[in-house]
Amino acid sequence: MATDVLDGNKFYLQKEQIIQDLDEDYEYEEVPVDDDIEVEEEEDLDAAVRAIQEKSQDEESKIRKESIARKELSHRPELIDDFMRNFLVKMGMMRTFDCFQTEWYELQQKGLLNEEDVDVVPDIYIRNQQLDNEVKFLRTERDRFKDAAVKTKDMYVKLRKDRDFHRMHHKRVVQEKNKLVTDIKRIKKHYSSYEPALQQLKNKYEVAMKEKMLTKLERDRAVGQVVGLQSTIKSISTGGSSPAKEHTGMTSMSFHSCQKGQEMFVDKDGRGPSQRALAAARSYSNTSKYFFEEGKRHPNDAEFPIDTRVNPLLSQIKAPPGHLTRTGGFRLSNTFQAHSLAVSGVALHPKKQILCTTSDDNSWKMWAVPSGDIIMTGEGHSDWVSSCDFHPSGTRLATTSGDTTVKIWDFGKAKCIHTFTDHTHAVWSSSWHTCGDFLATASMDNSSKIWDLNSLRCRYTLRGHADSVNSIQFLPFSNILCTSSADKTLSLWDARTGLCAQTFYGHMHSVNSATFNLKGDTIASCDSYGVVKLWDIRTVSPMSSIDVGPHPANQVTFDPSAAVLAICSNDGTIKMYELATGQVTCLVGHEDAVQASVFDKSGEFMVSGGSDYTVRVWS
């Protein structure tokens, strides 16, 4: 220990040795993949001190060079009287300075000063003054180096703690990774053991379905035989020869057709044995849904129409000349700001040139197209309105919202006539049945619902998707429903039974929209990575796949001729895909994501809505 006394102050300098934390014995766990992490070299305090010393030596050498440069100038020795004057002025002794001046000049005039008294000041005084200045400078440098050493020590301690933390974190991550790798291998092995069982179950299912169909045919044939025999016995018992013969002939003809599997005997209400059995099974399996506590059906429940009708629009639709190049013919003809927030959905009136739009501003509006004049505004939802759909008669409108409700608006009464509240999460989409008695909705609660507008209740809840159901659509003049879901699948449902008839697999990301073409033999779907797929319903297989990403595709829409597919993209464009040639043309106009689009019945113009608050008419 050393003690230094300067100007009455004591400074103690004590030498301490910092023990370096060497981790030569630290064992790292081997990582099975190439994820080696280089360990940084330890910060050495001695190296830091040496760096500071080298910096100070550089500064001292610079100062010496400057002093040497100054010494090269001619130095004039200081006289005693000048030294005294400077000293008194420096010490602030001005009265003594005045007395010295008076007395010094007086003695000098009288000649009483000796030659050695007025000579230059001895070098020792000047040297002492220089040493004093140097001592002050060295004290300043010492304090500065001391502060730097303290900061360096703190930094060293902090870096060492950070190093230890990262080492511990790295070790934990490696252990978790090795555990996950082991779990994945075990799961893969476990999954591979299920493959034979799944294949065997699939084969059994196919065999069971074939046997079921054969049994069904046998049952229908037996029922036909029983009905024919009963009619023959009845005609014989009545004794009417001619009517009996005519009736017997008709029965035998129907029985012969049933044997061939081409036609089934029908009763007075137009339903055959299969339809009657299906109705009985549906009523039995859904007793809790369809019956009151008294055991009776709701008296106002509507009946689903027979699913054998032909779409009358097919004979009215004619492809325009050069329809294969129609995608390049659309041009932006009108633009108007529809809402104060993003436009989420658009729908055209089935009979008039009227457009309905929904928005995130909690409202829906009706417009005259293509002029863009506003007709009506509807407010009532407490959250964003996601979609709308006109009733087939055009007198009502269904809207869905993020407030989990579905509202039915009557234009004649100019108000909301009913609100369905059975969904538990946001409702994305809606679709009217062609008969106008049923409405289907898709929700974020992983389910879809079919509402009866006569009894004002939920007739069916379609469960089967494992994630949010993003869109739903009735096939026109049919009881078939198509849904798309965030679980990457599409499903076909029978609205009469609420059962899933078929599921389409192939998308790798969330399916945002799916739609039928007018013929009903093709489905188009799009997902959140811009992949669009066309599906053949008859073969339950994909027909083609188009990648228009990487931006998400929000909606797909067929034109009336089913020759062109409009794809609404998040990049602000509408991709027009020609099914015959595979050509893709972009319609540029929106300044933000395009959320929805709809074609006119004649295919002469198209309307789109986007997140830029605008509606654009393309013709």
Side-chain angles (χ1 to χ4, degrees), residues 225-243:
Q225 289 177 351
V226 171
V227 173
L229 292 175
Q230 288 177 352
S231 301
T232 304
I233 294 172
K234 184 177 180 181
S235 62
I236 294 173
S237 63
T238 56
S241 59
S242 298

Side-chain angles (χ1 to χ4, degrees), residues 335-395:
T335 300
F336 56 91
Q337 182 171 346
H339 294 270
S340 58
L341 291 176
V343 179
S344 56
V346 293
L348 283 172
H349 194 278
K351 299 179 181 179
K352 300 180 181 179
Q353 297 292 341
I354 296 177
L355 173 72
C356 183
T357 60
T358 59
S359 172
D360 291 352
D361 61 5
N362 304 358
S363 69
W364 59 268
K365 296 182 180 181
M366 291 177 60
W367 312 82
V369 287
S371 62
D373 299 329
I374 189 165
I375 300 175
M376 183 184 298
T377 299
E379 295 180 351
H381 286 287
S382 60
D383 207 340
W384 41 265
V385 187
S386 56
S387 73
C388 59
D389 193 26
F390 280 101
H391 190 274
S393 65
T395 59

Side-chain angles (χ1 to χ4, degrees), residues 243-256:
K245 289 181 180 179
E246 293 176 0
H247 193 273
T248 305
M250 181 187 67
T251 305
S252 61
M253 181 181 65
S254 300
F255 171 66
H256 181 67

Side-chain angles (χ1 to χ4, degrees), residues 232-480:
T232 304
I233 294 172
K234 184 177 180 181
S235 62
I236 294 173
S237 63
T238 56
S241 59
S242 298
K245 289 181 180 179
E246 293 176 0
H247 193 273
T248 305
M250 181 187 67
T251 305
S252 61
M253 181 181 65
S254 300
F255 171 66
H256 181 67
S257 300
C258 288
Q259 282 185 330
K260 293 184 178 180
Q262 299 173 351
E263 185 178 346
M264 297 175 60
F265 190 87
V266 296
D267 56 8
K268 294 180 180 180
D269 60 356
R271 296 187 301 176
S274 298
Q275 285 80 4
R276 293 196 300 272
L278 183 61
R282 183 168 71 245
S283 300
Y284 176 76
S285 62
N286 295 281
T287 302
S288 60
K289 291 184 180 179
Y290 293 97
F291 287 75
F292 290 104
E293 293 180 358
E294 293 83 0
K296 298 181 180 180
R297 287 191 58 180
H298 197 290
N300 295 330
D301 276 350
E303 290 292 338
F304 281 94
I306 300 174
D307 205 1
T308 58
R309 296 168 296 165
V310 178
N311 189 347
L313 299 177
L314 291 176
S315 59
Q316 302 176 10
I317 299 301
K318 295 182 180 179
H323 69 279
L324 294 181
T325 59
R326 189 70 177 89
T327 57
F330 282 104
R331 295 291 183 271
L332 183 61
S333 60
N334 191 16
T335 300
F336 56 91
Q337 182 171 346
H339 294 270
S340 58
L341 291 176
V343 179
S344 56
V346 293
L348 283 172
H349 194 278
K351 299 179 181 179
K352 300 180 181 179
Q353 297 292 341
I354 296 177
L355 173 72
C356 183
T357 60
T358 59
S359 172
D360 291 352
D361 61 5
N362 304 358
S363 69
W364 59 268
K365 296 182 180 181
M366 291 177 60
W367 312 82
V369 287
S371 62
D373 299 329
I374 189 165
I375 300 175
M376 183 184 298
T377 299
E379 295 180 351
H381 286 287
S382 60
D383 207 340
W384 41 265
V385 187
S386 56
S387 73
C388 59
D389 193 26
F390 280 101
H391 190 274
S393 65
T395 59
R396 294 181 180 181
L397 180 75
T399 58
T400 60
S401 172
D403 61 8
T404 74
T405 65
V406 181
K407 290 184 179 291
I408 309 299
W409 308 81
D410 192 313
F411 299 138
K413 299 179 181 178
K415 65 177 184 179
C416 174
I417 60 174
H418 191 71
T419 301
F420 295 108
T421 59
D422 287 8
H423 281 294
T424 59
H425 286 82
V427 188
W428 291 119
S429 176
S430 64
S431 178
W432 285 97
H433 192 284
T434 310
C435 68
D437 293 333
F438 304 97
L439 177 70
T441 57
S443 172
M444 195 188 292
D445 60 9
N446 304 357
S447 71
S448 304
K449 292 182 181 293
I450 301 176
W451 311 92
D452 192 323
L453 271 295
N454 289 338
S455 58
L456 297 179
R457 67 193 188 98
C458 177
R459 289 286 296 270
Y460 292 101
T461 298
L462 312 182
R463 295 185 176 89
H465 286 292
D467 208 334
S468 170
V469 185
N470 296 330
S471 74
I472 191 167
Q473 184 185 19
F474 268 108
L475 176 63
F477 297 92
S478 171
N479 296 318
I480 301 299

Side-chain angles (χ1 to χ4, degrees), residues 49-66:
V49 173
R50 284 197 300 271
I52 295 175
Q53 290 177 353
E54 290 176 357
K55 184 176 180 181
S56 62
Q57 290 176 2
D58 294 339
E59 293 178 354
E60 290 178 0
S61 62
K62 184 177 180 181
I63 294 173
R64 290 196 198 96
K65 290 180 181 178
E66 292 178 356

